[in-house]
Amino acid sequence: MSESTEKAETAEKAEKLDAADELAPKRAEFALDDVVYLDGNSLGALPAHVPGRVEDVVRRQWGELRIRSWDESGWWTAPERIGDRIAPLVGAAPGEIVVGDSTSVNVFKALVAAVRMAGEGRDEILVDATTFPTDGYIAESAARMTGCTLRPVTPAEVPGALGGRTAAVLLNHVDYRTGRLRDLPALTAAVRAAGAVAVWDLCHSAGALPVGLDEHGVDLAVGCTYKYLNGGPGSPAYLYVRRSRQDAFDSPLPGWNSHVDPFGMRTSYEPAAGALRGRVGTPDILSMLALEAALEVWDGVTIEAVRAKSLALTDFFLECVEAYVPDGSVESLTPAAHEERGSQVALRCPDAGEVMKRLIERGVVGDYRAPDVLRFGFTPLYVGFADTERAARVLGETLSR
Amino acid sequence: MSESTEKAETAEKAEKLDAADELAPKRAEFALDDVVYLDGNSLGALPAHVPGRVEDVVRRQWGELRIRSWDESGWWTAPERIGDRIAPLVGAAPGEIVVGDSTSVNVFKALVAAVRMAGEGRDEILVDATTFPTDGYIAESAARMTGCTLRPVTPAEVPGALGGRTAAVLLNHVDYRTGRLRDLPALTAAVRAAGAVAVWDLCHSAGALPVGLDEHGVDLAVGCTYKYLNGGPGSPAYLYVRRSRQDAFDSPLPGWNSHVDPFGMRTSYEPAAGALRGRVGTPDILSMLALEAALEVWDGVTIEAVRAKSLALTDFFLECVEAYVPDGSVESLTPAAHEERGSQVALRCPDAGEVMKRLIERGVVGDYRAPDVLRFGFTPLYVGFADTERAARVLGETLSR
């Protein structure tokens, strides 16, 4: 088969896959142009109805109702209300998630709380040695401030590293660099069996694949909302606290928003019941209500359908890369096995920074991680198969020069 | 003089004061209706140009430029850029303030850093016993996590309580309840002389009166931006770190945004130089850029002019209350002496909750703090003397019934 015939057939296949895609109509709910946007694993695209909603928050809720909006516009209860909206996407129940603060701040809350839950005599924190750096930095601080030692291990080494001293284990559901999906059920079970507490970072999995927090016995989890959840730049993160662990959740950041009677202005601290005790200070309402509006694109969507399309997209992308990209010019770091794959494809490529710059000039937007990794994120709500084919084609042309 | 003559003369005086007010034109820069808004010490009014700016951030910066905005729209550098915009309002230099996170989270950063700066052998934290509750709760956590004991004292007791064990002292510049202004220069000097580190909470002073952080030798300070700085509901707080103390600032929340090379994705933490090391995670861009836009109302305004008008407003309000309100029905908790007064008037009044409800129904918006305090905040950029007269008149009528 000639190269041009092969490309024509691949393009035709993309067209068929798009025609059969039940999620395809969702794309119209986003503000998108003719760019192939494969960076939704870093900053999700704008849902088209969000600007109007934000304008209402600013002009009417802030500008006209002003202080009354804390009650009348539901500002005060936004952290738990939006948490409940995220809950079904990660397999949590109502009342188990609060939204607020950054992921880093939530990692600190969760990890310190985990050490306190684990109890006396446990003084070691295990942290994923391949983690996104901030988790490692914050884990170091949490260890320092709780009198623990910090031990970096690869996720594969975790079961062997667990012991009677292990207090907490901080893990990433999907590796930000390679896109590798970790075995959350098995690792959580191992951590629990050792009497320790697992904290999962869901930044690169929530909104892309089923997480099953309740089902798999996870105690604590955190995640951001600006990637697959399309909450907007720096939109607030969230904290999950398993129902049965909530009474034991002892926050290192016991701000007044987590008090049982916040407007009682009491001198002594008494935490609220439930996930509410993960709240800290006054919530950043504009960012938070933009997120709330953005979450409406999930109406009528199951995370299982998203996962099925995500795998089909990444399979197809790898197939197109195989067909279009000169042999030996890239190497996939993303596992071939579905059960080990998140929703991005990472390709090792010399000169990745320069290559990505050229792709972006040609309307294919991904990103890269130093020194040599091209990252392509696949967001099933708005990326299609023709987009995927085009991205691989442009990559192939760029690398053929 | 008859009561009606007195009221007519007071109203006439208000008119003259408004006519002579050099800040009066600023009011037109805010989205205001015919309500007398005296709750700007809780949530500042909306600057009229902010909605258009937020719309641009959402539609163009997020919606069209997407991920490119981190560089091209200056998102990444917003925390320090906006910090530099706040700096002159509180007497700080460029590079001493970063914006981000809530006030509670910043109190935690500052207080833990203060204990670490104070050094070995100092294991007591003094906290203002009359503080806004969250500062006390967070101070308790900071003490617990740094091995310190926490000792609540009134600000007046601080000089006598300082000693060789004192590590840090957390103080409020203006009392949220009574509006009392504390003597920041004298208290800071006392704390420094004892070898301890003062942390000032500026929530109720920044934007209302001169603070003089650099001038008075303050080491660390925090504050919110949604009161007198009009940043919007839950807009991000800020952290001030004195230039000479920045190298010693050791954050308990060393997120990747504070790393010297954040995109180097390094395993080990190395803090950036300067106030940047107060950053933590990804900044909440929508809330942050709304704040940045809101700060433009300060163009051409000096904080000294604001202070002069603030004192004139609160003087006039107390005068009107004296003239209009039945004897004995309220008692001012706000000091008569200018050097002890912030920018609010607190009146003790039985049934304050019900009284405030009636005032709001008649278009005079203040708030109350349980059990018996009416709070009226005076924001010189948009509150005038006729507003002030009307507020006292409506209060008088309400209490005369």
Side-chain angles (χ1 to χ4, degrees), chain A residues 26-45:
Chain A
K26 278 281 157 188
R27 183 187 170 100
E29 295 182 25
F30 288 85
L32 289 166
D33 43 28
D34 61 351
V35 156
V36 179
Y37 191 64
L38 301 179
D39 213 4
N41 55 328
S42 187
L43 175 66

Side-chain angles (χ1 to χ4, degrees), chain A residues 137 141 144 250 252 266 284, chain B residues 134 137 141 144 250 252 266 284:
Chain A
Y137 308 155
S141 176
R144 173 183 178 187
D250 182 2
R266 297 200 212 153
D284 50 342
Chain B
T134 208
Y137 308 155
S141 176
R144 173 183 177 188
D250 181 3
R266 297 198 212 155
D284 50 342

Side-chain angles (χ1 to χ4, degrees), chain A residues 101 281-284, chain B residues 78-80 82-83 86 97-107 109 201-203 221-227 229 231-240 278-279 283-284 287-288 291:
Chain A
D101 305 308
T282 304
D284 50 342
Chain B
E80 50 269 27
I82 303 171
I86 292 171
I97 294 182
V98 282
V99 172
D101 305 307
S102 65
T103 305
S104 298
V105 169
N106 280 295
V107 168
K109 289 180 214 170
D201 181 333
L202 310 177
C203 284
V222 304
C224 78
T225 61
Y226 45 77
K227 299 179 191 292
L229 298 177
S235 55
Y238 57 89
L239 171 73
Y240 162 89
R279 288 182 63 163
D284 50 342
S287 290
M288 195 161 280
L291 164 63

